[in-house]
Amino acid sequence: MKKINIIGSGFSSLAAACYLAKKGYNVTLFEKNKTIGGRARQLEKDGFTFDIGPTWYWMPDVFERFFADFNKKPSDYYLLEKLNPAYSVYFGKNDFITIEDTLDKIKKAFENEEKGSASKLQRFIDKAQSNYDIAIKNLVYNPGESPFELITPITIKKLNQFFSNIKSDVRKNFKNKKLIQILEFPVLFLGAKPSDTPSFYNFMNYADFGLGTFHPKKGMYQVILGIKSLAEELGVTIKTENAVEKIIVEKGKATGIVCNGEKHFADITISGADYHHTETLLDKGYRQYSETYWEKKTFAPSSLLFYIGFNKKLKNVNHHTLFFDVDFDIHAEAIYDTPKWPENPLFYASFPSVTDINAAPNGKEAGIFLIPLAPGLKDTKDLREHYFNKIITRFEALTSQEVKKSIILKESFCVNDFIKDYNSYKGNAYGMANTLLQTAFLRPKLKSKRVKNLFFTGQLTVPGPGVPPSLISGKLVADLVTKYHKL
């Protein structure tokens, strides 16, 4: 039986482990941290439970497809609830738009803001759904080995959508600034500015308005635990507190890894760890991409996150709440164009305890606050505190309530932590952005060109950033392994 070592235990690594174990390989996963999940770990403290990383459950069909590959369903491992409202967006004090759980309700909300926008939204989402069907049922399940993967009779008809962008597309149809911001928001999950994201990626709007937003009971970490259970049922071995120090290469072939000074030999090595970091585990001659290559790439943002326990229930907030009361373009400039700490940041807040009694003790509220940032910024305790005060002051004003005195728990996570905990390049939070020149075959490869039997998976390779793409990435690398290494 061929032996496979997998580095990391995030969504892509766990998915790859499941597929390969099912095919009959002997799979061992090595995780540097005490708990599995990669960026999707959980923080439990003083009766509060926070998802450290992803908090949005979108594209449920991708999860269903994953579990169906093993004759399972998500409900075999965790319970899902469709959120209503999905989220709300604040533009000023008592000035917000609520996005509910069906397109018909969302169309009414749009029509209230801009006359005639309901029919425009229907046409926009129809187009987005068409793109979603092409992308999710077909394109993203290609391994990015060749440009010809993108060329099909259907995609040729949509070629112009790869050379126009989301920003111009949205503004052609809608004039109301609030509606424009809501439609441009899902692009943030792809890690680039709307002006740098091909129009074809408007399929994210269908994921948002067409499919809706869900919450796994007890949090996103239940999805990790579900996939872990599946992996173990299939015979995967998981070793935590095993940081990989080196990938062993003999005569141009990966033959194992070194963890905590101990060698673990295998026929094949797959890394779901940060791609740039993984290449530093190789001697220079075996690396595919130079430091200059990584420097020139557009990375998705990092984040400053706060995990807050309040000693009371909060008013005027939903499970997911966005705060767009400042200029989006100026904040985006500080992330992508001239990287610096933003003067007035947009921010996002999640209150899982609004939906889930498991997230906080009775009568209390759990809050997660996130500010998107440029990767590689200087990260200090004073800066974190300064920005927390900025957003919590605005939060109080926008939601018409006092909360500062009700904080009984506060933890933060930022650039330095992304580097320390995940070996993340420049402390990025979401991987590499999906711009036109970083799409499909133009992303870092799943299979090493320099080292035989070495493969990669995760957010920096295909198909891209986000939880559903990471699950898909795990499937793609497993398929490539079996293509090149028959049992």
Side-chain angles (χ1 to χ4, degrees), residues 165-167 184 187-188 190-198 298-299 301 328-338 433-435:
N165 64 67
I166 295 275
K167 182 173 181 174
E184 288 181 350
V187 170
L188 296 177
L190 301 171
K193 291 194 297 187
S195 56
D196 291 334
T197 304
T298 302
F299 271 80
F328 174 84
D329 291 334
I330 293 173
H331 187 165
E333 218 172 87
I335 297 173
Y336 299 104
D337 303 333
T338 48
N434 260 333
T435 60

Side-chain angles (χ1 to χ4, degrees), residues 378-419:
K378 184 183 180 186
D379 168 19
T380 67
K381 192 179 173 184
D382 288 348
L383 276 166
R384 294 187 190 196
E385 199 54 33
H386 174 69
Y387 276 85
F388 180 72
N389 288 328
K390 257 184 195 275
I391 63 169
I392 208 71
T393 300
R394 270 171 47 208
F395 176 81
E396 288 187 321
L398 292 164
T399 62
S400 307
Q401 64 189 316
E402 189 176 87
V403 300
K404 282 180 197 165
K405 290 174 184 169
S406 300
I407 294 171
I408 53 173
L409 170 66
K410 183 170 140 205
E411 300 279 342
S412 65
F413 200 95
C414 196
V415 173
N416 294 348
D417 302 296
F418 280 104
I419 294 168

